[in-house]
Structure formats: C-alpha cells, structure tokens
Amino acid sequence: MSEISSRGEKRTQILDAAEALFSRHGYDGVTLRAIAKLANVDVALANYHFGPKRDLFDAVFLRRAEILNQWRLEALEKVISESAPAPPEICAIIRAYFEPILKGPHVHEEGWKNYYALVGYVNSSHEWGGKLMSQFFDPAIRRFLEALEMALPGVSDEDLYWGYHCLSGALTLTFAQTGRIDHLSNGLCRSDDLAGACSHIVAFVTAGFEQLRDR
Amino acid sequence: MSEISSRGEKRTQILDAAEALFSRHGYDGVTLRAIAKLANVDVALANYHFGPKRDLFDAVFLRRAEILNQWRLEALEKVISESAPAPPEICAIIRAYFEPILKGPHVHEEGWKNYYALVGYVNSSHEWGGKLMSQFFDPAIRRFLEALEMALPGVSDEDLYWGYHCLSGALTLTFAQTGRIDHLSNGLCRSDDLAGACSHIVAFVTAGFEQLRDR
DNA sequence: GTCTATACGGCGATAGAC
DNA sequence: GTCTATCGCCGTATAGAC
C-alpha cells in the first residue's frame, strides 16, 4: 500500500500472499514464483526469510494460530468462571468455541478469511490434517473437552471425542467457504456469511452433545 | 495382479492408481508420471485414455459417485415406504444417509477407502468443493432434504440447509481419515474405523436436526 | 541484515512420430 | 497403443547491490 517500505514489511507481504494463495489452491497448487509476484517481491526473498517452501507454509499456519487459541481460551475461562462453582452449560461452552472466531469484526478482514480457509484445507487434508492440526490446536481443544466433561458427567470419553469430531468437521467445512451451500440452497444461505453460520451451527452442535446424556 | 491383461484392464489400473494418489496428495500433489508408475503403464497412456490431467480427475471422481448415490437413495426409499403414510423418523433418514456407505463390507476395500478420502478432499476444497460436489451429489441430497422436511414440518429451509452443512462437514472429515482423532484421543478412537464412527455421528446429527423443531 | 538478478539441474504435461 | 522429444516452469543456491 504505502510507497515507503518499513522494516519487515516485505516479510509480511510474503506471508499475506502465501496465505491467500495456499488457502485457495493448497500447498502443491502454489508456486513460490506466484507468491513472489502477488507480494511484489523477488522470487528469492521468500527463501531468504523462511527457508524452503514447506517452512513458509508452516510459518503462515502458525502466525494466526496462537491468536485464535487465545481468543477461544479467554472466552472459555470467562464462561467457566461465570458459572462457577456449577459447571457451565453445554451451550455456553460451544459458544465460547465458535463466537470469538466467527462473530468478531475481524471475520471481514481478507487476511483472516484466507486463514480460515487455510485451516479448513489443512484440517481435512489426509496428509497434514493429523499432524499440523494436533500440533497447533490440540492443547486448546483439550481444555474445551475438559469443560464438556464437567458439563456432561458420566458421558464416555469416546462419545466426547466423536462429538468434537463432528463439531470440527462442521466448522472447518464452514471455513473452507466452498460455495456449496449457496448453490444447494439457491442463494438462501451464503457460505461467506460466517456470523450467520455460527448461530445455526452452535445450536446444532449443542444438541448433538446434549443427547450424549441419554445414551 | 494377473499376468495376462484383459481388455480395458490398464484403463482401470490407471483409475485405481490415480484414485489412490489423488486422495492422498490432492490434485496438484500428484504427477501423471507417478500415476503411470503405480499403474505400471506408460506415462502417455493416461492422456490417451482420459485426455488432460483434469479430465482424469473427473473420471476418477465420477466412477463411484453414481454407485454411492444409488446406495443412499435405495435406503431412503425403503425408509420412506416402510413408514408410509406417516413421515419417517429423523433417525431413520440419517441412517439411510450414512449406513449404506459407512457400514457396508466395501468399506474395507482399498479402492473405496481411497475414494472416500477423495470425496473428503473435494468437499472441503475451496476451489472445487462447490462445483464438483454440487454437480455429482446435489440431486440425491435434495431427496434427503425433502424427506427431512416431511419429518420436520414447519422448520425453515434455512435451518435445514445449515443442518445438512453440519452433517456434510462431519461426514467428509470422517472420510478424510487424517488420524487427528486418533492422536487427540490417544488411540481410543480410530479415524479408519468408519463403521464405528457411523453410529456416533448418526446419533449426534439426529439430535442436531431434532432440535430444529423447538426453534 | 535486506534484497535483487541470475543461473542451474530437474521434472512437469503433453504433442507427435511410430 | 507406445515411446520419445520438447519446451516451460519448478524450487533453490549464489553472487553481489544497497
């Protein structure tokens, strides 16, 4: 944007460009040359700052993961402390998981939209889904599972893990923003409407967890 | 396997090899050379049979889609006719969607496992998710949505579409078989246990749809 | 340290000869 | 149906400008 480059600006431009392209085309669908072009920098600069292509991908993935974890954990702690000493309601826990990331003003920023699509891509990637997601997100997820365990005493761990699996699938498909639901619903629902998706998914997933009590 | 090639055998070998590789590495992560090598055929044969790479991908995707749609629609018609004239139960509709594909003996076949992973990849692909999935699967999906509408009178279309979105996300994450739930649950749940996943997801999703009545 | 220009070895899809 | 040739683009190393 600015004609005068401040320190580290090109580094950020590379991360932004890589994020945008990786999220649309996946890791193998993007060349370092395309990233350099979009970032308006020389081909070799990405390698200078980040090393090989794979390390650049990790850097992109890491950049916003910690912010995202922090938002969610803050919302969770708030919910837990507000209901203490009673366990929080399922619905409140689920909202703490979704709302900070789907209802904030940042969801309209291009960078965050791209990042979410990237997480959607990684989470359902046969190659990286297990490793990358576990590495960056599992610690925070475990806190949520503990909270759900408190709210659902007697429910088996197995049921809780599969519940999280369903939640995670619904969320990352939302992230991917494929336009599928737009087509299926003839435009009634829009896949880029993250805030709108949020309330539907929260209600759906909450009911999914609550039925575990009766099993 | 056989030393004597029957007519069309190499064609099938190419489809099988492409299916296996595309499902693991995505479209751009696979080269025609790698496919040819795995299929034990010449590099140029894929192009001879299927045209450009992209058309080969479509051929792989199409091959099992119709079988899958047919399995599901047969199960749905059975459920509808058995409960007629009353509308079927939500639970029965959801089972008709999941069980034919997750509980059949075919789920242990390598080819089907690969195909499911491929569907998982496509469904959450930002580039193709909307177009390819809609093209091959929407007609059958609409029949299921009609059945759900019968079972949930008064529920808004918007809620139904988002419900399907959640169902679809959970299913395709299952398909992707990323190993994530194995890691998260310390081996208690296994992502390659499709039949086991099925019963958990059916119960979860059924509850999700049923809460729509009370909204 | 930050960045650009250039070069290299290798592999990509696919067209055309056979 | 098969094989080979072609041409372009790939990731990355390096040399040196600022």
Side-chain angles (χ1 to χ4, degrees):
Chain A
M1 297 298 172
S2 155
E3 287 161 15
I4 301 159
S5 290
S6 62
R7 208 181 104 72
E9 181 152 336
K10 292 204 173 179
R11 217 188 110 100
T12 305
Q13 285 174 314
I14 291 171
L15 284 172
D16 289 342
E19 186 174 62
L21 292 174
F22 282 141
S23 70
R24 277 166 183 72
H25 311 292
Y27 179 80
D28 292 296
V30 175
T31 67
L32 290 173
R33 291 177 144 83
I35 294 170
K37 194 170 189 178
L38 186 61
N40 270 307
V41 301
D42 187 85
V43 212
L45 193 59
N47 189 267
Y48 168 73
H49 278 300
F50 301 100
K53 184 182 177 185
R54 177 54 208 263
D55 290 356
L56 170 61
F57 188 84
D58 283 349
V60 170
F61 197 73
L62 174 64
R63 178 167 59 149
R64 301 192 201 259
E66 300 189 4
I67 303 170
L68 212 142
N69 280 326
Q70 194 187 325
W71 285 344
R72 287 213 269 230
L73 287 176
E74 276 169 12
L76 179 63
E77 294 310 326
K78 190 154 174 278
V79 159
I80 290 177
S81 66
E82 276 174 4
S83 78
E89 303 221 350
I90 303 287
C91 183
I93 299 170
I94 304 298
R95 267 205 303 270
Y97 192 84
F98 282 86
E99 288 192 351
I101 61 172
L102 291 181
K103 290 214 163 162
H106 68 279
V107 300
H108 297 113
E109 287 173 31
E110 205 57 26
W112 277 102
K113 279 173 98 161
N114 293 337
Y115 183 71
Y116 285 160
L118 186 69
V119 175
Y121 162 75
V122 168
N123 193 44
S124 44
S125 149
H126 185 77
E127 271 187 303
W128 300 331
K131 271 169 280 190
L132 266 189
M133 291 300 292
S134 293
Q135 182 181 340
F136 290 111
F137 291 111
D138 275 7
I141 303 307
R142 286 184 205 284
R143 297 280 299 125
F144 274 86
L145 287 172
E146 283 164 25
L148 287 168
E149 214 164 359
M150 284 170 20
L152 291 164
V155 167
S156 75
D157 285 355
E158 203 185 340
D159 280 345
L160 285 177
Y161 288 125
W162 281 113
Y164 171 72
H165 173 88
C166 292
L167 174 160
S168 173
L171 178 62
T172 54
L173 181 58
T174 309
F175 279 171
Q177 300 191 65
T178 63
R180 171 102 194 276
I181 196 173
D182 312 54
H183 188 275
L184 186 64
S185 72
N186 270 311
L188 180 64
C189 308
R190 291 177 45 206
S191 53
D192 63 354
D193 174 24
L194 297 183
C198 183
S199 48
H200 288 95
I201 303 179
V202 165
F204 194 95
V205 167
T206 299
F209 276 106
E210 270 171 354
Q211 58 86 33
L212 295 177
R213 272 197 257 263
D214 319 318
R215 300 242 301 169
Chain B
M1 295 299 172
S2 156
E3 287 161 16
I4 301 161
S5 290
S6 63
R7 208 179 105 72
E9 180 151 334
K10 290 198 176 182
R11 217 187 110 97
T12 305
Q13 284 173 297
I14 291 170
L15 283 173
D16 288 342
E19 187 173 61
L21 292 174
F22 282 142
S23 71
R24 275 167 184 72
H25 310 292
Y27 179 80
D28 293 296
V30 174
T31 68
L32 290 174
R33 295 177 134 84
I35 294 171
K37 194 170 190 179
L38 186 62
N40 270 309
V41 300
D42 187 85
V43 211
L45 191 61
N47 190 270
Y48 170 75
H49 278 301
F50 300 99
K53 185 182 176 185
R54 177 53 208 264
D55 290 356
L56 170 60
F57 187 83
D58 282 350
V60 170
F61 196 73
L62 174 63
R63 178 166 60 149
R64 302 193 201 258
E66 299 188 5
I67 302 170
L68 211 142
N69 280 325
Q70 195 187 323
W71 284 344
R72 287 214 269 231
L73 286 177
E74 278 170 10
L76 179 63
E77 294 310 325
K78 189 154 173 280
V79 159
I80 290 177
S81 66
E82 277 174 4
S83 77
E89 302 222 349
I90 303 287
C91 183
I93 299 170
I94 304 298
R95 266 205 303 271
Y97 192 84
F98 282 87
E99 286 191 354
I101 60 171
L102 291 181
K103 289 213 163 164
H106 68 279
V107 299
H108 297 112
E109 288 173 31
E110 205 56 26
W112 276 102
K113 277 173 98 160
N114 293 337
Y115 184 71
Y116 284 159
L118 186 69
V119 174
Y121 162 75
V122 168
N123 193 43
S124 44
S125 149
H126 185 79
E127 272 187 301
W128 299 332
K131 272 169 281 191
L132 265 188
M133 292 299 292
S134 293
Q135 182 181 342
F136 290 111
F137 291 111
D138 274 7
I141 304 305
R142 285 184 206 283
R143 296 279 301 124
F144 274 87
L145 287 172
E146 283 165 25
L148 287 168
E149 214 165 358
M150 285 170 22
L152 290 165
V155 168
S156 75
D157 284 355
E158 203 185 338
D159 280 346
L160 285 176
Y161 288 124
W162 281 113
Y164 171 72
H165 173 88
C166 293
L167 174 161
S168 174
L171 178 62
T172 53
L173 181 59
T174 309
F175 279 172
Q177 299 191 64
T178 63
R180 170 103 194 274
I181 197 174
D182 312 54
H183 187 275
L184 185 65
S185 72
N186 270 313
L188 181 64
C189 308
R190 291 178 44 206
S191 53
D192 63 354
D193 174 25
L194 296 184
C198 183
S199 47
H200 288 94
I201 303 179
V202 165
F204 194 95
V205 167
T206 299
F209 276 106
E210 270 172 354
Q211 58 86 33
L212 294 178
R213 271 196 258 262
D214 317 318
R215 301 241 302 167

